[in-house]
Amino acid sequence: MRAFLTAWLGLWLGCAPPALADAKWVATPYAPPKVVFEFFLDHPQKIASALYWLRSLTNPLMEAPYNYAPEDLDVVVVVHGTEIVTLAKRNEARYQEAVERMRYYAELGVRFKVCGEAAAEYGYALRDFQDFVEVVPNAITELAHWQQQGYALIVPRVMERTVDLDAIR
């Protein structure tokens, strides 16, 4: 029995996995995107995090190795949650950083579309919104329209971090 265990242990040790190799970097050959973002957030302050999703799409594509020009990126943002208040002119001071970021993206060609039904629910008229906003009849219909045109749908999930990163690294 001892000889069997020794032989088995020798075979097991001889089959040890190879040393782990490092990960490798892959530059996926991305084409210029056609994307529609759905912003439907439960708190207006979450607009800042949702805009990071937009940045995460655009920045890598405008940098090396892709170097796409802003006009190569076809991006639409449909807004119909509580974050709609960030686009109201009267709230600009309160949400100044988010408004400046949205204005920057709008200058790059990103189209911001607000649901007309949601706007009416909040008591907003066309004159109440920033000049880069387009009001559309309905967010759900708008989302379906862009998807039918071949746009990929991205729905940012904005969660609150409850775990310290250093504790889980």
Side-chain angles (χ1 to χ4, degrees):
M1 180 66 156
R2 185 176 173 108
F4 172 77
L5 288 175
T6 303
W8 183 80
L9 183 61
L11 283 172
W12 183 78
L13 289 174
C15 296
L20 297 177
D22 292 342
K24 66 178 181 177
W25 179 259
V26 177
T28 305
Y30 299 127
K34 287 174 48 173
V35 174
V36 59
F37 282 89
E38 179 186 13
F39 283 12
F40 185 72
L41 307 170
D42 63 352
H43 194 286
Q45 292 293 349
K46 290 185 177 181
I47 188 77
S49 294
L51 289 170
Y52 280 113
W53 286 62
L54 186 56
R55 182 184 82 169
S56 293
L57 173 77
T58 59
N59 282 8
L61 294 172
M62 292 191 302
E63 296 169 357
Y66 307 105
N67 299 315
Y68 286 120
E71 55 271 13
D72 294 329
L73 312 180
D74 198 350
V75 181
V76 178
V77 178
V78 178
V79 176
H80 64 117
T82 63
E83 71 285 352
I84 194 173
V85 302
T86 66
L87 292 164
K89 290 177 189 174
R90 69 177 176 218
N91 294 327
E92 185 169 1
R94 184 174 185 184
Y95 301 106
Q96 182 178 359
E97 184 179 331
V99 171
E100 288 173 2
R101 288 173 61 198
M102 288 184 278
R103 187 174 303 285
Y104 164 78
Y105 287 118
E107 290 170 359
L108 291 178
V110 173
R111 292 167 282 172
F112 287 88
K113 298 181 179 281
V114 167
C115 173
E117 289 183 4
E121 188 175 317
Y122 280 80
Y124 293 146
L126 291 175
R127 68 181 171 278
D128 295 318
F129 290 107
Q130 298 290 338
D131 61 354
F132 58 87
V133 169
E134 297 175 351
V135 178
V136 297
N138 175 276
I140 304 305
T141 307
E142 192 73 13
L143 290 165
H145 165 75
W146 291 105
Q147 288 178 79
Q148 289 171 331
Q149 304 305 312
Y151 285 64
L153 173 65
I154 298 178
V155 183
R157 291 179 44 192
V158 180
M159 299 185 279
E160 296 177 30
R161 186 177 301 159
T162 59
V163 178
D164 179 40
L165 289 182
D166 289 332
I168 61 172
R169 283 182 210 240

